[in-house]
Amino acid sequence: MKLIRFFAFLIIISILIPIQSVNTANLTQISEAEIKAQDLLQKMTPEERVGQLFLVAFQGNEVTSESEIYNLIVNHHVGGVILRLENDNFIATNTVQNIYNLTQSLQQFEWEGSLPEVSDEPTSGVNLPSNYIPIFISVSQEGDSYPNNSIINGVTNLPSQLAIGATWDLDLAERVGSVLGQELKALGFNMLLGPSLDVLDLPYVEGGDDLGARTFGGDPFWVGELGKAYIRGVHAGSDNHMAVISKHFPGRGSSDRLPENEVATVRKSLEQLKQIELAPYFSVTGNAPDQVSTTDGLLMSHIRYQGFQGNIRATTRPVSFDQSAQEQLMSLPAFATWRESGGIIVSDNLGSNAVRKFFNPTGEGFDPRQISRNAFISGNDLLLLDLYVDTSDLDPYATTLRVLEFFTQKYSEDPAFAQRVDSSVLRILKLKYQLYGSFEIINVIPDISGLSNVGINQQINFDIASNSVVLMSPDIVELDVIMPRPPQNNERILFITDTISARQCTECPNQSIFGVNTMQEAVLRLYGPGAGDQVIPARMASYTFTDLYRYLQEPGSYSVLDSELRNANWIVFSFIKPNYDREETLALQKFLADRQDLLNNKKVIAFGFNAPYYLDATDISKLTAYYVLFSKTSAFVDTAARLLFQEMTAEGVLPVSVPGIGYDLISRTAPNPNQIIPLLLNSNVEISPSELNGSASLSEIPKVELGETISLETGVIVDYNMNPVPDGTIVRFLFSYVDKGNNVQQVEAITQTGIANVTYRVQNTGLVEIRAVSDPAYNSDIIKIDVPVPEGAEATIVVLTTPEVTETPSPTLMPTNTPTETTIIISENQHVLPKVSDWFAMIVIVTSISGGLFFFTRKRIPLRWSLRWALLAFTGGIFAYILISFQSIFRLEWTLSIKSIDLMAISFIGAMTGWFLGWIWYIRRKLEIQNT
């Protein structure tokens, strides 16, 4: 009986080990937000649960208890709303105050709707109803004013994302995010649909459309780094009261269609996507360094992929409607970890033209209920409905009601659907609790005093404008030759501008976003009368691209412009982005191609206020100078004026490839060959001054024992732009055994934050020289170590080395001019926690051994001894597993580092040891009987 109890005890302990390992390695304490969300979910009705799944749009900027949105919020419990310029949710006069009033009213509707309908006493606000849930109020505010901003008045017009990318400055990206988060929170928003983490891999196809300045650039690593900084800023600026929904997942950088207009098809496999498009999303989800840099959600784009699963002839449905594709994406480690932590998926607009064209190309058979269901079942948690209308309904409101009723009925009839709804609602509730802590109206509506800080943060615009502008052509040396001086007050300047105007709402007055006189007014303000008198207003004139296009079509009908073109000393073009649906936007290219006679003896300057790749090499060759400023806000216009008058120089570096000037981004982010790669070692051995300056004698060189493990680390390896090289850059560590002739060993590692780490076990005796190279950078510091011959014999250890790359904090970049020598650090053992799969494998092994022993010996020796041998083998295997596993859980120093295969081998040895002890016991007992 005692033996049975002991045997049972060992089994229980062995089972607890993997359970303890799982708890230690994978499980975190359930957050308070999740506990509250689970409690609230249990109290919600099916209608309330279903309503939380929808983010709806509505028309107008005034809401009352009679309005449709009031009914959707109060009676149908929708989870949130989206405010858009196209839906007239904003007005041009007193915009900031009106937005605050609107968001306050929307939240107040939900609050008041949750209170008891009949009450004799005024509510105290202390005992809140359990079903009060604040609504999401979302907005897309990408930067660069119209058309990328929903709010174009009253707020700080922040620069485009590409302008931020051209600075390559994470601090500036965080500052922009902070300003945006602060101002949106003050206005009453709690969800930002942005930033865009698309990678401009193939930036532009002539005749197509692209995201242009709406992304951070074309390098996956830097898009991810800038995205993390931007998200960190939004969270910090809003005091963590803003949910950030990064878009357009899983990446639209290689498409030639805008996401709003058409479902684009990208020809890439999942493996290719992981290298380019998905890399930035990895950085802000499971691979993010902290919670504040982690995106709260991903906006699932309507895009499909050809060759997604390897078959180049197979095309997915739009990913937002493809359950298999979404599951495959979300199973990737970074996304799986992020989803387990509560990350939400938001569908792109289900009422967009892209969806309608895909599902309803003939205008018939469009069923919003099934479209919504398919999007939800595919994996989206929050469904965005804007202009979502069935052909049989009168308006989007009627369609939305039918979709809500359909979902509620489905919830009651289909347990699997109900379970899927509950899972998504739990994520949504958890996110809302993370924003507010507790659901009280005083926590939800921001203090009105915050409005005084909205629209006053212009300094960040000037900082980015001055650090992002790029001189495309010529180079700075040649520019001084062909344009030695700025315009003089006796010279005529002709400004030709591609104009943009917009309305904050349908009934609002038309306002100039980028007007015909924008550049001329900036020049006069900075250099005109009273500001240096460098220019005379009478010698300046301004025209639009439309004027120029009409002149090129019929030169004789526009004599005034013809005279200006012929008499001008300077022609300054300001353009934004070509639109092949509006031929006048191509006036610059047509002018350069058709009227070269008007370019003679003139300085022709072009300023691009969007992406840099819209002019080809032929166009650029006809210009005196070509600058790109990436954004069209007032700070960038002023910067263009200062560049024209040579008051400042271009400081930015292109964040995307530009074929027109032969600029390849991959080459520019490769290691700079002119650097000396710092190579670092640390040890308890003191370093003499002679070692540091490279003049150490052999007696002063640090000694390392044969077979000892050393750790090496590079300093920050920089690219051609003097930024740290992207993560994943390959670095080769070369170990040259000087006494062995050409015996050079090589170990590869990859960089993290510009630094590579490797561990190496010394394999031969003699003097060893260590270098690091990263193509095309071949120069580094040289480290020398001396490996003496072991006493009594000369030995060589032959091992297979595997580099161990570890994360290191981003260091301060220190220039290194001469090679240096330093010493060694010894790497620590890696502890691997036993897993449940290890336990099952161990049980299979020891059971097989003990069972085999029993059946093999039961007819050869007495049955009781066969049973004893089997039990001892089983007990020995379990005991060895328990003994070795304890070191990983309790970090014991007297055991070796283990891996799963080690656990299995040790269990096998333990089982055979148990059998061997049983065999000795049997022989001893047999001898005793014979002697008796």
Side-chain angles (χ1 to χ4, degrees), residues 750-904:
I750 59 174
T751 58
Q752 291 280 346
T753 63
I755 298 170
N757 299 273
V758 74
T759 58
Y760 175 77
R761 192 176 183 190
V762 178
Q763 304 177 22
N764 288 302
T765 59
L767 183 64
V768 184
E769 291 186 349
I770 307 172
R771 296 175 173 83
V773 299
S774 184
D775 298 338
Y778 298 109
N779 298 318
S780 78
D781 290 343
I782 301 172
I783 294 175
K784 296 180 180 179
I785 58 175
D786 183 27
V787 186
V789 178
E791 294 184 6
E794 182 174 354
T796 300
I797 298 176
V798 180
V799 296
L800 294 176
T801 59
T802 301
E804 297 181 14
V805 182
T806 56
E807 284 194 28
T808 55
S810 181
T812 302
L813 182 60
M814 298 294 291
T816 304
N817 297 320
T818 58
T820 61
E821 297 184 12
T822 183
T823 52
I824 311 163
I825 61 172
I826 305 302
S827 64
E828 297 181 357
N829 288 331
Q830 299 293 320
H831 293 273
V832 182
L833 292 172
K835 301 182 287 291
V836 174
S837 58
D838 297 335
W839 181 85
F840 278 111
M842 178 273 297
I843 290 295
V844 171
I845 290 173
V846 298
T847 301
S848 300
I849 293 172
S850 59
L853 284 171
F854 177 77
F855 284 104
F856 181 76
T857 60
R858 63 191 175 96
K859 293 183 179 180
R860 293 172 173 79
I861 61 175
L863 186 61
R864 68 178 182 275
W865 281 105
S866 294
L867 184 60
R868 286 173 180 172
W869 284 9
L871 290 176
L872 284 170
F874 193 88
T875 305
I878 292 179
F879 186 77
Y881 171 83
I882 293 172
L883 184 66
I884 298 301
S885 296
F886 274 178
Q887 72 93 32
S888 285
I889 296 177
F890 299 108
R891 300 289 196 255
L892 301 179
E893 298 298 331
W894 47 267
T895 50
L896 298 174
S897 173
I898 62 168
K899 297 180 180 178
S900 295
I901 189 66
D902 300 327
L903 281 172
M904 301 306 99

Side-chain angles (χ1 to χ4, degrees), residues 491-537:
E491 293 179 320
R492 298 189 65 84
I493 307 175
L494 175 62
F495 297 99
I496 303 178
T497 303
D498 185 11
T499 59
I500 291 182
S501 60
R503 300 176 187 270
Q504 184 67 84
C505 64
T506 305
E507 302 299 326
C508 296
N510 195 42
Q511 54 189 104
S512 175
I513 303 298
F514 200 70
V516 60
N517 295 315
T518 295
M519 273 296 295
Q520 181 175 337
E521 290 171 354
V523 168
L524 286 173
R525 186 174 66 256
L526 295 172
Y527 304 102
D533 296 318
Q534 291 180 251
V535 293
I536 298 173

Side-chain angles (χ1 to χ4, degrees), residues 199-395:
V199 179
L200 283 175
D201 180 26
L202 301 172
Y204 181 62
V205 177
E206 186 172 344
D209 209 337
D210 69 326
L211 292 171
R214 297 170 62 186
T215 71
F216 287 117
D219 185 273
F221 169 74
W222 280 101
V223 171
E225 292 299 298
L226 291 164
K228 282 189 294 188
Y230 191 95
I231 292 169
R232 186 164 58 247
V234 173
H235 282 148
S238 65
D239 296 326
N240 291 314
H241 283 67
M242 187 70 57
V244 179
I245 311 297
S246 300
K247 59 185 183 183
H248 305 86
F249 184 82
R252 304 189 58 95
S254 298
S255 69
D256 60 352
R257 302 288 189 275
L258 287 179
E260 299 86 357
N261 297 334
E262 189 173 349
V263 174
T265 300
V266 173
R267 190 172 181 175
K268 284 192 176 182
S269 67
L270 179 58
E271 290 303 315
Q272 291 173 308
L273 291 175
K274 290 195 298 189
Q275 297 296 321
I276 307 289
E277 277 85 350
L278 291 176
Y281 297 98
F282 291 150
S283 297
V284 301
T285 52
N287 294 345
D290 48 48
Q291 187 61 38
V292 74
S293 303
T294 303
T295 188
D296 300 291
L298 295 174
L299 185 77
M300 189 68 67
S301 182
H302 304 312
I303 189 170
R304 55 181 182 167
Y305 294 96
Q306 188 175 17
F308 182 79
Q309 295 177 328
N311 183 359
I312 196 62
R313 291 176 175 82
T315 303
T316 67
R317 302 179 72 198
V319 177
S320 47
F321 298 95
D322 193 320
Q323 183 177 0
S324 175
Q326 283 203 40
E327 288 177 350
Q328 197 168 350
L329 288 167
M330 289 300 113
S331 67
L332 298 175
F335 299 140
T337 302
W338 173 74
R339 286 288 279 174
E340 289 172 4
S341 300
I344 70 169
I345 303 294
V346 181
S347 78
D348 207 342
N349 181 17
L350 300 183
S352 68
N353 288 331
V355 175
R356 288 186 170 278
K357 288 179 182 178
F358 184 83
F359 287 102
N360 184 29
T362 63
E364 298 177 0
F366 184 76
D367 187 348
R369 295 175 300 176
Q370 293 301 327
I371 295 294
S372 301
R373 176 189 171 278
N374 291 342
F376 179 67
I377 293 298
S378 297
N380 300 290
D381 300 303
L382 193 59
L383 306 180
L384 198 164
L385 308 183
D386 181 22
L387 299 177
Y388 199 51
V389 57
D390 190 350
T391 53
S392 62
D393 293 324
L394 297 177
D395 53 39

Side-chain angles (χ1 to χ4, degrees), residues 435-551:
L435 295 178
Y436 295 115
S438 61
F439 291 167
E440 301 179 23
I441 191 66
I442 193 173
N443 294 337
V444 176
I445 297 179
D447 194 291
I448 195 171
S449 62
L451 297 182
S452 61
N453 296 319
V454 175
I456 64 171
N457 301 285
Q458 300 300 333
Q459 184 60 45
I460 184 62
N461 274 307
F462 290 103
D463 292 343
I464 290 181
S466 58
N467 284 281
S468 64
V469 60
V470 173
L471 174 62
M472 301 285 290
S473 176
D475 60 43
I476 189 66
V477 176
E478 187 179 355
L479 182 66
D480 291 336
V481 176
I482 64 177
M483 204 169 81
R485 55 179 177 75
Q488 304 298 299
N489 59 10
N490 62 341
E491 293 179 320
R492 298 189 65 84
I493 307 175
L494 175 62
F495 297 99
I496 303 178
T497 303
D498 185 11
T499 59
I500 291 182
S501 60
R503 300 176 187 270
Q504 184 67 84
C505 64
T506 305
E507 302 299 326
C508 296
N510 195 42
Q511 54 189 104
S512 175
I513 303 298
F514 200 70
V516 60
N517 295 315
T518 295
M519 273 296 295
Q520 181 175 337
E521 290 171 354
V523 168
L524 286 173
R525 186 174 66 256
L526 295 172
Y527 304 102
D533 296 318
Q534 291 180 251
V535 293
I536 298 173
R539 294 183 176 273
M540 303 169 69
S542 295
Y543 292 86
T544 69
F545 267 41
T546 300
D547 296 330
L548 179 61
Y549 181 77
R550 291 173 181 169
Y551 166 76

